[in-house]
Amino acid sequence: MYLFKRVRDLQAFLQPFYDKNRPIGFVPTMGALHDGHLSLVRTSSKVANNVCTIASIFVNPTQFNEASDLEKYPRTPADDLIKLAKAGCQAVLMPSVEEVYPPGLDTEVEIDFSKLGSVMEGAHRPGHFDGVAEVVKRLLEIVQPTHLYMGQKDYQQVLIVRKLVETFRMPISVEMCPIVREKDGLAMSSRNIRLTPDYRIKAPLIYKTLQDAKNWIQAFSIDELSQKALSQLETGGLRPEYFQLANAQTLELITDQSDAKQIVACVAAWAGDVRLIDNMII
Ligand code: AMP
């Protein structure tokens, strides 16, 4: 596996693949890799027929709305490289902030994401998706993959990126891969290593509540269901920020089951000082 720190070196490596129009899979990450990330790499390298799989590790400062969150973000680069090589990755880009955002280059992305950007994570993390759109567009321009692999774990992010790719007419297919979970149901996340033992025991309640929501939807209104979910999370010692049901395609929040053919339940909750998100198609 090759490790590149410079954009131009990665592009020189990829040139023969571009010349022959070969499929290239790309997995952007912020590092501190776990099996969720690696499942994306494996899908690209072993399941799909990409001839080359590239991953990036870049903790993007522009998508953090709190400086302390950026500072506390876990970083385990040496371990990450070993895991990526084992998962079948051919090359990794680990760029500096200046490589991604060279001084003088206007990288800002101005797209109206409408509901996709203004609800849930968009409402609770102001500016977050502008930062995501900015970094993903820049990374896609750098890597020029044919296939992009992203996790359902960040459901809203995948829809935002699909819209970005569509808006800029990038010839890239965006693949949404299933959420990988711990045995007790907790969605894998780089942030999980910051959970205290007590909150690590409490955190799987997020998944349980999503599962319960799937059953409750038969018997309760959307409003009752959301209230039940929020109070279950609170009773279990978590601090929910939102529990919302939305149209799985547009992310418009729904008030009645008949409002959407497919419904996604999305949740953000604090486990101590760690903010966790999860979702489920119900
Ligand atoms: P991050 O490093 O958090 O930016 O995540 C990089 C990619 O890995 C994103 O597309 C995430 O959605 C995906 N990802 C993170 N956690 C999981 C998980 N538990 N299952 C599947 N994909 C995941």
Side-chain angles (χ1 to χ4, degrees), residues 2-277:
Y2 293 90
L3 168 62
F4 297 102
K5 301 220 159 178
R6 299 248 161 105
V7 166
R8 63 163 186 267
D9 295 337
L10 173 70
Q11 288 177 331
F13 167 80
L14 286 172
Q15 194 58 51
F17 298 99
Y18 302 146
D19 290 345
K20 293 188 187 136
N21 279 323
R22 310 301 297 277
I24 298 171
F26 177 43
V27 180
T29 80
M30 297 205 296
L33 302 182
H34 50 66
D35 250 336
H37 297 111
L38 300 174
S39 74
L40 308 181
V41 175
R42 286 189 210 106
T43 302
S44 173
S45 64
K46 308 210 162 102
V47 182
N49 62 352
N50 297 304
V51 292
C52 186
T53 293
I54 311 291
S56 62
I57 300 177
F58 180 62
V59 184
N60 173 37
T62 72
Q63 73 188 68
F64 285 82
N65 43 333
E66 279 179 33
S68 68
D69 193 22
L70 170 63
E71 205 177 296
K72 280 190 267 174
Y73 201 82
R75 289 165 173 87
T76 56
D79 277 1
D80 292 351
L81 294 177
I82 295 169
K83 290 176 180 169
L84 287 171
K86 280 194 189 148
C89 189
Q90 264 95 25
V92 183
L93 177 66
M94 269 176 77
S96 63
V97 173
E98 292 73 30
E99 271 303 290
V100 178
Y101 303 121
L105 184 72
D106 183 8
T107 52
E108 242 174 74
V109 175
E110 278 171 30
I111 300 182
D112 178 11
F113 289 110
S114 68
K115 282 287 173 297
L116 290 183
S118 62
V119 295
M120 302 189 287
E121 290 301 281
H124 288 84
R125 299 184 69 189
H128 171 65
F129 286 127
D130 296 330
V132 168
E134 180 178 32
V135 75
V136 172
K137 178 162 180 280
R138 184 73 187 114
L139 289 171
L140 292 179
E141 285 164 353
I142 291 170
V143 179
Q144 299 168 50
T146 54
H147 295 77
L148 172 66
Y149 297 88
M150 306 194 82
Q152 185 193 327
K153 163 87 186 344
D154 299 277
Y155 190 88
Q156 194 170 5
Q157 172 171 277
V158 181
L159 299 197
I160 291 273
V161 170
R162 283 203 172 127
K163 173 87 178 168
L164 173 87
V165 163
E166 194 185 293
T167 306
F168 289 99
R169 296 170 196 265
M170 294 172 146
I172 299 169
S173 111
V174 181
E175 314 289 341
M176 175 147 51
C177 303
I179 303 175
V180 178
R181 298 179 179 283
E182 301 289 354
K183 283 203 184 75
D184 57 14
L186 176 64
M188 288 191 184
S189 163
S190 307
R191 295 167 192 269
N192 292 353
I193 47 182
R194 292 188 36 233
L195 291 168
T196 62
D198 180 37
Y199 279 112
R200 176 62 191 84
I201 292 168
K202 290 176 173 154
L205 182 62
I206 296 173
Y207 175 61
K208 181 175 182 300
T209 306
L210 286 165
Q211 283 181 310
D212 289 344
K214 217 171 174 166
N215 300 323
W216 292 337
I217 199 148
Q218 312 299 337
F220 298 96
S221 72
I222 299 293
D223 196 40
E224 287 165 340
L225 185 156
S226 303
Q227 289 312 320
K228 275 176 83 68
L230 290 168
S231 77
Q232 174 157 301
L233 290 166
E234 269 163 22
T235 310
L238 302 174
R239 215 156 29 90
E241 227 175 61
Y242 62 80
F243 187 101
Q244 279 170 328
L245 280 81
N247 178 314
Q249 270 70 45
T250 63
L251 290 193
E252 270 170 295
L253 300 180
I254 59 164
T255 50
D256 191 87
Q257 275 194 51
S258 61
D259 288 348
K261 273 199 199 121
Q262 201 181 32
I263 298 171
V264 61
C266 298
V267 52
W270 290 87
D273 66 351
V274 183
R275 186 176 184 275
L276 301 174
I277 59 168

